[in-house]
Amino acid sequence: LEGGLAGISAYLLQHGCTYLLYHKRKDGMSNAELISIGLMIGVLIYGIPKWGLNGVALTFVIAYLVVLIGGYKYGSGVGAIVGAACGIALSFQNGETALIGSLCVLGICSGMFQEIGKIGAGIAFSITGISLGFLYHQTLLQMEYLKNLLTASVLFSCIPVKYLEMVTLSTRETEDSYMKHAIQMITQSKFKNFS
């Protein structure tokens, strides 16, 4: 089993390692590389020691912060991937499987509210996390989870915009994605003309 897991892990993480080591700034990122880097982030989150202070756990704060930055900076798709990876890592650590779905939804949420600014996205992230506790899983409303969520949102709001601008990520435009985008634009203009 360990040999199989090592082989599968090497295959999955190979794309991300290749991208991180050999990419040029102008090169985009393929979907396989994006997923691989998301898995790397999840493994890194899993490896963080369980340190905490006054009910605020370092692992949770970093996971929430990474999900919030990923979704805010790169959109809902990246936020969902990073959220799923971090949620799996946190559920392995704590045995709370509700974190997988909730972090995935939080990643999507942070990508949806990127247009309203950093502080607005942080507030929407916190409100969505609290709402998920009411609607989905009551353990997400425990004080330790809420402290971690609010701490990550406050830290995100305090990060200067210039530091968020430094990290760039672009996906490769394939011919298929270009054609889909062109078809969407043509359809949109036809609907506008029709209306």
Side-chain angles (χ1 to χ4, degrees), residues 95-110:
E96 191 64 52
T97 56
L99 291 170
I100 300 171
S102 64
L103 278 169
C104 193
V105 171
L106 286 171
I108 293 169
C109 166
S110 62

Side-chain angles (χ1 to χ4, degrees), residues 64-98:
Y64 285 136
L65 192 60
V66 166
V67 170
L68 186 50
I69 290 171
Y72 175 78
K73 183 81 170 110
Y74 307 114
S76 297
V78 173
I81 290 171
V82 173
C86 291
I88 290 169
L90 290 177
S91 69
F92 281 156
Q93 270 190 350
N94 301 315
E96 191 64 52
T97 56

